[in-house]
Amino acid sequence: MLDNLQKARSLSVADICRLYGVSRDTARRDIVKLTEQGAAIRTHGGIALPDIKNQILAYRERLQAYSEEKIQIGAKALSLIKDNGCYFFNASTTISCMVRQMKVSANIFTQSLDVAELLSGDAQSSVHLFGGTFHQRNRFFFSVDSIKQIERIHFDAAFLGAAALTDDGIYYEDEEDALLSRIVSDRSDSTIILADHKKYEQMSRFKAFDWKAADILITDRQPPEKVDTAREMQGTNLLLAESDS
């Protein structure tokens, strides 16, 4: 049954009855066994692969292929994290590169499933994961209750990845991500943007804030002239991550 599930990704009770010539009661008992073992999850009318777990495994594999630029940006950002500080990390592969290299004790708040998973084995730091509806593509949770919780917290700094950097400001793919990043920035002593040079070439729909709301940009290359002028005029400091090569 697991072989067929791997191929089809989901099976209904009727599929199981047809494939194995068993009754619906037998199919349901088999479904219970697989879900109890964690090999599958229940769906309306059947079973499916446990997607979140599979995505976490795939995410770990993707970490091995992270660009040198993102690793260097993450390493540069670590110099701004102090022991026992209170920080917000958003859902971003560059933020995850930073988290993967962390060796300090801190209080971390996040809406990112991947950040929480990476820190789950870190006995030094306390991790607080905001819940809500799971946005599968960019792997973060969002809810109105989470926003209300964030509005009652003061952060030493917010470390935020981004989908696009333009002369107009910092953008995200999801409206919820943009809103959350804006509120987190307002609740932080310092807002630190982590983004590689490819984000200058991107277009994204939802603006979080102008450059004046960002205190520091950590990137791997000097921004294009229009972006750099806007950044400088609005008071955002620039830190360039250096390559080992």
Side-chain angles (χ1 to χ4, degrees):
M1 190 182 296
L2 282 175
D3 287 340
N4 281 313
L5 186 58
Q6 288 288 340
K7 295 173 185 175
R9 300 195 64 81
S10 65
L11 293 171
S12 68
V13 172
D15 290 333
I16 296 169
C17 293
R18 175 177 52 79
L19 286 167
Y20 306 109
V22 297
S23 68
R24 295 181 71 86
D25 286 342
T26 299
R28 290 192 183 98
R29 283 196 294 270
D30 289 340
I31 286 172
V32 169
K33 288 178 183 178
L34 288 175
T35 55
E36 286 178 346
Q37 293 168 4
I41 57 173
R42 291 292 293 268
T43 64
H44 182 68
I47 53 173
L49 288 176
D51 287 336
I52 289 178
K53 290 182 179 179
N54 287 341
Q55 288 166 12
I56 287 174
L57 292 174
Y59 175 80
R60 285 173 172 163
E61 291 170 1
R62 290 201 306 274
L63 281 177
Q64 305 304 319
Y66 272 164
S67 69
E68 182 66 20
E69 292 90 347
K70 291 185 178 183
I71 294 169
Q72 292 299 326
I73 290 167
K76 190 78 171 180
L78 287 176
S79 65
L80 303 174
I81 296 179
K82 308 301 181 186
D83 274 327
N84 301 315
C86 181
Y87 302 106
F88 185 91
F89 296 164
N90 78 342
S92 157
T93 53
T94 310
I95 297 295
S96 294
C97 277
M98 176 186 69
V99 170
R100 197 179 181 213
Q101 301 174 78
M102 271 184 59
K103 293 183 174 63
V104 298
S105 170
N107 300 296
I108 307 301
F109 292 79
T110 186
Q111 92 284 32
S112 166
L113 176 63
D114 297 322
V115 167
E117 198 276 332
L118 282 169
L119 288 171
S120 63
D122 182 0
Q124 295 185 87
S125 296
S126 62
V127 185
H128 310 267
L129 177 63
F130 294 108
T133 300
F134 183 60
H135 289 241
Q136 197 166 46
R137 180 179 177 184
N138 290 316
R139 301 177 57 72
F140 68 89
F141 296 94
F142 179 87
S143 71
V144 173
D145 286 341
S146 291
I147 294 297
K148 291 178 180 177
Q149 291 176 49
I150 289 169
E151 288 174 335
R152 295 194 296 268
I153 302 171
H154 179 84
F155 303 102
D156 294 317
F159 289 81
L160 306 175
L165 304 179
T166 73
D167 59 315
D168 185 40
I170 290 84
Y171 283 77
Y172 292 86
E173 292 182 4
D174 300 285
E175 185 175 13
E176 295 89 345
D177 210 5
L179 172 62
L180 187 143
S181 296
R182 183 162 56 250
I183 292 172
V184 165
S185 176
D186 289 341
R187 300 297 303 160
S188 301
D189 286 341
S190 182
T191 298
I192 302 162
I193 307 299
L194 280 63
D196 64 79
H197 67 276
K198 294 179 182 177
K199 298 301 169 64
Y200 305 129
E201 305 162 5
Q202 302 298 320
M203 296 294 293
S204 206
R205 187 177 300 274
F206 300 104
K207 181 177 175 179
F209 40 74
D210 297 323
W211 282 105
K212 63 184 177 183
D215 296 283
I216 299 172
L217 167 64
I218 305 178
T219 186
D220 60 307
R221 293 185 193 175
Q222 193 75 25
E225 185 177 355
K226 285 181 67 176
V227 176
D228 207 33
T229 299
R231 170 199 66 77
E232 192 170 8
M233 288 184 65
Q234 296 184 52
T236 304
N237 293 316
L238 178 66
L239 293 180
L240 290 177
E242 299 177 1
S243 173
D244 291 334
S245 58

